[in-house]
Amino acid sequence: MSARSHTAVAGLAPDAERDIETKGESGAPPTHVAIIMDGNGRWAASRGLPRVAGHREGARAVRRAIEAAIEQGVGWLTLYAFSSENWRRPASEILDLTGLLRHYLRTEIAELRANGVRLRVIGDRDRFDPDIRTELLAAERSTAANTRLNLTIALSYGGRDEILAAARVLAAAARDGRLDPAVMEETDFTRGLFTAGMPDPDLVIRTSGEQRLSNFLLWQSAYAELVFQDVLWPDFGAAHLADALAEFARRERRFGARPG
Ligand code: FPP
């Protein structure tokens, strides 16, 4: 990811949306749910189908997850669709995934707009073909006034790259005398992340039974509750989201404080 992708950090200007409350309360439903969508390949393999069939079904599950989030009152939903490491997959699979993304953008955006969904994209979009970049920007612009669900899709996203890019911008600001490292605060840093202006995730769900973060929202998930579900992403539906929200409700969140 290049520092130039980080429009939010230019000149360290205060972000207009920074006033969003980023710390949930114990007992409150999650404001922001983030999902690591995993298991498309295994879903396909278990049916003797090519991997692309799993990704296609995964795109249908994306639609279900968005509908379920709206129905279940989730205000912010972030989906990890493509990691910076996914570029290392075989060229044919990359072609399938980018083709699916292109198709998704052309067919689903009108629906998102009609359903009050605001789309944001985080990640290094510069690595995608120009037509996809244009569609992404158009989709973000045309849904920018929507408030029912804040949907973020992580594309070519890597948490360490994101943190490194933010650190570079701050280091340059310190070098140029625009920032005093001694008084630097967390907000100076978070302004440089792709997620500037977004609340941190309260709940991170990973499907397919794997139990890792895989470079997803590393900074932002510091206090997130993690829920790992034994469902392959293409089979994910409203009931799985409801289960994860119920599990979240059973957790006691302390944000590092002692039980009192
Ligand atoms: C993980 O399964 C899934 C991905 C790397 C891609 C996610 C893509 C989609 C859900 C469909 C397209 C999404 C949009 C927004 C159009 P995996 O391939 O790693 O599965 P495996 O671990 O079982 O091999």
Side-chain angles (χ1 to χ4, degrees):
M1 176 177 57
S2 55
R4 72 199 147 91
S5 310
H6 280 241
T7 50
V9 294
L12 295 171
D15 191 290
E17 296 173 86
R18 268 319 300 173
D19 56 349
I20 291 171
E21 186 57 66
T22 56
K23 275 196 175 143
E25 305 258 318
S26 195
T31 299
H32 183 177
V33 176
I35 308 183
I36 302 172
M37 308 183 287
D38 195 12
N40 294 352
R42 276 162 283 170
W43 183 93
S46 70
R47 287 164 176 76
L49 296 170
R51 290 178 66 80
V52 66
H55 295 317
R56 255 187 234 123
E57 205 55 38
R60 290 192 192 102
V62 165
R63 200 175 307 139
R64 286 197 299 276
I66 293 168
E67 284 165 10
I70 292 172
E71 276 162 23
Q72 295 176 36
V74 172
W76 295 76
L77 177 69
T78 298
L79 302 174
Y80 200 9
F82 196 90
S83 73
S84 39
E85 290 74 29
N86 285 155
W87 291 109
R88 291 194 214 121
R89 292 195 177 193
S92 59
E93 186 169 352
I94 305 272
L95 215 57
D96 287 338
L97 282 166
T98 50
L100 254 178
L101 177 63
R102 197 175 268 118
H103 178 74
Y104 183 87
L105 289 168
R106 288 185 188 152
T107 56
E108 301 286 323
I109 297 309
E111 178 109 4
L112 294 183
R113 206 181 307 132
N115 285 332
V117 178
R118 175 174 182 176
L119 178 75
R120 292 175 176 83
V121 174
I122 57 172
D124 182 8
R125 62 180 81 197
D126 292 349
R127 292 189 73 176
F128 289 97
D129 289 340
D131 69 304
I132 292 186
R133 298 207 304 263
T134 303
E135 296 266 1
L136 290 173
L137 205 59
E140 286 177 312
R141 285 190 178 144
S142 71
T143 61
N146 288 347
T147 54
R148 199 163 169 215
L149 174 70
N150 287 281
L151 170 68
T152 303
I153 301 191
L155 290 169
S156 190
Y157 173 86
R160 285 187 176 182
D161 279 352
E162 180 185 38
I163 290 169
L164 190 59
R168 274 199 198 106
V169 171
L170 290 179
R175 181 197 58 204
D176 300 345
R178 286 181 285 121
L179 179 72
D180 177 0
V183 297
M184 190 176 125
E185 295 182 351
E186 275 193 18
T187 49
D188 294 314
F189 197 89
T190 52
R191 238 177 253 141
L193 301 176
F194 281 126
T195 51
M198 291 171 54
D200 286 340
D202 305 291
L203 168 63
V204 174
I205 300 170
R206 182 173 187 145
T207 61
S208 93
E210 307 287 347
Q211 304 194 355
R212 350 173 238 285
L213 282 178
S214 296
N215 209 10
F216 184 48
L217 299 179
L218 295 182
W219 171 285
Q220 299 88 337
S221 296
Y223 290 102
E225 295 297 325
L226 309 180
V227 170
F228 302 104
Q229 295 186 313
D230 273 327
V231 58
L232 299 174
W233 177 252
D235 292 326
F236 187 91
H240 299 98
L241 181 65
D243 283 352
L245 296 184
E247 171 62 30
F248 179 87
R250 288 191 286 272
R251 305 269 178 96
E252 191 197 343
R253 304 188 80 196
R254 295 202 293 268
F255 301 101
R258 271 189 280 150

